[in-house]
Amino acid sequence: MSKLEQILILDPPSDLRFRGPFTDVVTTNLKLRNPSDRRVCFKVKTTAPRRYCVRPNSGVIDPGATVTISVMLQPFDYDPNEKSKHKFMVQTIFAPHGASDLEAMWKDAKPDDLMDSKLRCVFEMPSDSEKMNELESTKAASVLNASKADGTSGAKAGSMDDAEMRKVMEECKRLQSEMGKLLDENRQLKDEGLRMRKANQYDSSVSKSSAMLSKEPASKSLPSLLVVIAAIFIGFFLGKFVL
């Protein structure tokens, strides 16, 4: 008896592609669709179980239903010269009517009843242009989220009732009035300081003038005193010679 052909439709059908950089967990999805009118059990196996995390890795798909499998590649040091040899296999079997113990069903399954599909793993590193596009997409998403947040806050502000708006306007007017008073007081203080500096300068100039005037008589009286002393000495000498 020939082996049964896979009943499930896989998307992607043959390759599981993982895009780097591989410094963090990289996830790709595998969709399993059951086009038949019978329930199908599945298992997902890999040749490198330590490198991947598969959720869910087994289960039952109802007729016409689709299941999405998340395949998570763990971080590793990527070498572009090393080709990936990792493979996955999706193994399936029709669920027997009334079967409840799936583990026992898999153990009792005959090889001719099993269906399987194999997929290879492909590692891809984004090019420089793709990195720039991804970066620009990320920035655009950030700007869009920020604008949405601003729009939400604007909508909330727009929903403010009239009473709250009046309170806000009154508070703004009060603050403006206090600011005007402070500015007037500041100008008055500046004018007062200017007047005090001018008064101090005037007092200083008056003091200097008085000091100079007080020195002038003393300087003028000094020659007169010298003349008197000189006359006394002359008279003394003349009297001595005459005698």
Side-chain angles (χ1 to χ4, degrees):
M1 185 176 179
S2 61
K3 189 174 182 179
L4 293 177
E5 185 179 355
Q6 176 64 265
I7 190 62
L8 296 183
I9 298 176
L10 279 62
D11 181 21
S14 58
D15 296 335
L16 287 178
R17 296 185 176 273
F18 299 87
R19 289 180 60 82
F22 302 100
T23 55
D24 201 353
V25 175
V26 180
T27 303
T28 189
N29 292 328
L30 171 64
K31 293 182 179 180
L32 306 179
R33 184 167 67 87
N34 180 11
S36 70
D37 56 357
R38 298 177 58 181
R39 299 175 72 217
V40 176
C41 301
F42 72 91
K43 273 187 176 182
V44 181
K45 299 180 179 180
T46 178
T47 57
R50 294 184 179 180
R51 298 286 294 275
Y52 299 90
C53 183
V54 182
R55 294 290 183 273
N57 60 358
S58 63
V60 179
I61 307 177
D62 292 328
T66 300
V67 172
T68 300
I69 310 297
S70 295
V71 183
M72 291 163 277
L73 173 62
Q74 303 304 307
F76 71 102
D77 294 330
Y78 174 70
D79 184 1
N81 297 321
E82 181 181 356
K83 293 185 178 180
S84 173
K85 298 180 181 179
H86 302 166
K87 291 182 175 62
F88 275 82
M89 182 175 68
V90 179
Q91 198 171 49
T92 58
I93 187 174
F94 286 110
H97 293 288
S100 57
D101 190 349
L102 297 181
E103 290 297 329
M105 183 203 66
W106 282 107
K107 289 180 180 179
D108 297 338
K110 298 178 181 179
D112 293 338
D113 296 334
L114 297 176
M115 299 169 283
D116 60 62
S117 298
K118 295 180 180 179
L119 303 96
R120 68 188 185 97
C121 297
V122 179
F123 300 151
E124 298 175 339
M125 287 293 289
S127 62
D128 293 338
S129 59
E130 290 175 333
K131 289 180 181 178
M132 291 298 296
N133 292 334
E134 291 177 0
L135 182 60
E136 291 178 358
S137 299
T138 303
K139 289 182 179 179
S142 300
V143 172
L144 181 60
N145 293 332
S147 62
K148 287 182 178 179
D150 293 341
T152 303
S153 61
K156 291 181 179 178
S159 63
M160 186 183 300
D161 57 17
D162 295 338
E164 293 179 351
M165 184 63 70
R166 283 196 296 272
K167 289 181 180 179
V168 172
M169 294 297 294
E170 291 175 358
E171 184 67 17
C172 290
K173 290 180 180 179
R174 186 182 66 81
L175 292 175
Q176 289 177 354
S177 177
E178 292 182 358
M179 182 64 71
K181 291 179 180 179
L182 291 174
L183 290 174
D184 291 338
E185 292 178 359
N186 189 27
R187 282 194 293 269
Q188 291 177 2
L189 290 173
K190 286 183 178 180
D191 294 340
E192 185 67 23
L194 182 60
R195 285 196 295 270
M196 292 179 67
R197 284 197 297 271
K198 288 182 178 179
N200 291 333
Q201 290 176 358
Y202 176 76
D203 293 340
S204 177
S205 62
V206 170
S207 299
K208 290 181 180 179
S209 300
S210 300
M212 291 179 66
L213 290 174
S214 63
K215 288 180 181 179
E216 285 181 0
S219 61
K220 289 181 180 179
S221 61
L222 183 59
S224 300
L225 181 61
L226 293 175
V227 170
V228 172
I229 294 172
I232 293 171
F233 275 99
I234 292 170
F236 175 76
F237 283 109
L238 289 175
K240 195 171 183 179
F241 282 110
V242 170
L243 293 177

